Amino acid sequence: MPRATLKTKSNDGLVALSEAHPDAVFKVLGAWPDEEGLRLLVETDALGVDPLIETLGVISAVTGFEIRYGGSDRVLFEVTTTTPEPHGAMADSGIVPSFPLHLEDGWFVGDLVASQDQLSVFCDELDSAGIEYRITQVSATPAESPLLTDRQREVVDVALVHGYYDSPRDCTLTTLAEHLDVSKSAVSRVLHRAEGKIINAYRPAETDSRSPAN
């Protein structure tokens, strides 16, 4: 089954913690739902116990936390947050995250094991919710991994039909949004990701020496 590497800002509580300490790296070792939200086991070696407690105590999306280990070399803690939107979408689509996840400067980075259909549905839900994300790598056979998701193909097809890519351009993002019955910003996000995939597919892999996008 294909494995995708996902970067996302998917948990308001931990994103706020990470953005408050942008140079710290947090490792999410596991996550499970409970009656108060989503509980996560997190480790860091870049932040002491006192500043960690101080920061967690003022983040509204954090509903509880407990220090499991606090030493000079690392801090291990449990934190409970309100359930983030991507977690429900991930569970509904049957996608399995591979722990640990890494969190730095507000971005989670981790692998997902999912079929192409599951990944397509998941990405569409993230687009609809306006959640920032990037798929930085997909490991799959060509037959399993079409270049664009179904939603991206639909939007690009509508853009082509109505002359969005003509020169001079025959329609605007506003016009496309009206045809698709979505917001202008939603159309812009989907087209931006689709165009990025098309450009990256066109560029020969051996000439790409860049690291994944930040």
Side-chain angles (χ1 to χ4, degrees):
M1 185 173 286
R3 180 181 295 269
T5 301
L6 173 73
K7 293 184 68 171
T8 182
K9 295 193 172 186
S10 63
N11 182 305
D12 291 342
L14 288 186
V15 166
L17 170 64
S18 178
E19 290 180 338
H21 302 279
D23 295 329
V25 177
F26 299 89
K27 185 184 295 185
V28 181
L29 304 176
W32 59 98
D34 66 12
E35 63 275 5
E36 297 181 5
L38 187 67
R39 185 183 298 179
L40 305 101
L41 182 65
V42 186
E43 180 182 64
T44 183
D45 61 3
L47 197 62
V49 172
D50 290 341
L52 176 64
I53 291 175
E54 181 180 354
T55 305
L56 290 173
V58 298
I59 298 175
S60 60
V62 171
T63 58
F65 62 88
E66 179 179 355
I67 304 298
R68 289 294 189 180
Y69 171 82
S72 59
D73 58 337
R74 67 188 179 100
V75 178
L76 181 68
F77 62 101
E78 284 187 14
V79 59
T80 302
T81 71
T82 53
T83 303
E85 289 188 70
H87 182 78
M90 190 179 297
D92 291 343
S93 61
I95 290 179
V96 180
S98 296
F99 292 100
L101 307 177
H102 290 84
L103 173 63
E104 185 175 3
D105 196 20
W107 287 96
F108 285 91
V109 181
D111 290 338
L112 302 175
V113 177
S115 70
Q116 184 60 45
D117 287 343
Q118 287 172 324
L119 187 59
S120 177
V121 169
F122 181 53
C123 290
D124 286 346
E125 293 193 25
L126 293 180
D127 282 327
S128 297
I131 294 169
E132 292 183 79
Y133 76 95
R134 296 166 188 159
I135 302 293
T136 61
Q137 182 177 355
V138 177
S139 301
T141 63
E144 291 174 316
S145 182
L147 181 62
L148 303 181
T149 68
D150 290 342
R151 180 58 172 169
Q152 288 167 347
R153 285 197 300 272
E154 177 189 7
V155 174
V156 169
D157 285 345
V158 171
L160 288 169
V161 167
H162 291 281
Y164 180 76
Y165 291 108
D166 290 352
S167 182
R169 183 167 284 170
D170 286 339
C171 78
T172 64
L173 281 175
T174 300
T175 304
L176 288 181
E178 291 171 355
H179 285 297
L180 292 161
D181 196 25
V182 295
S183 69
K184 177 180 174 181
S185 61
V187 174
S188 178
R189 286 195 301 270
V190 175
L191 282 179
H192 179 73
R193 292 196 175 95
E195 290 161 356
K197 288 182 179 180
I198 293 168
I199 291 169
N200 283 326
Y202 177 80
R203 183 185 59 240
E206 61 270 17
T207 66
D208 185 8
S209 59
R210 301 178 309 164
S211 60
N214 291 321

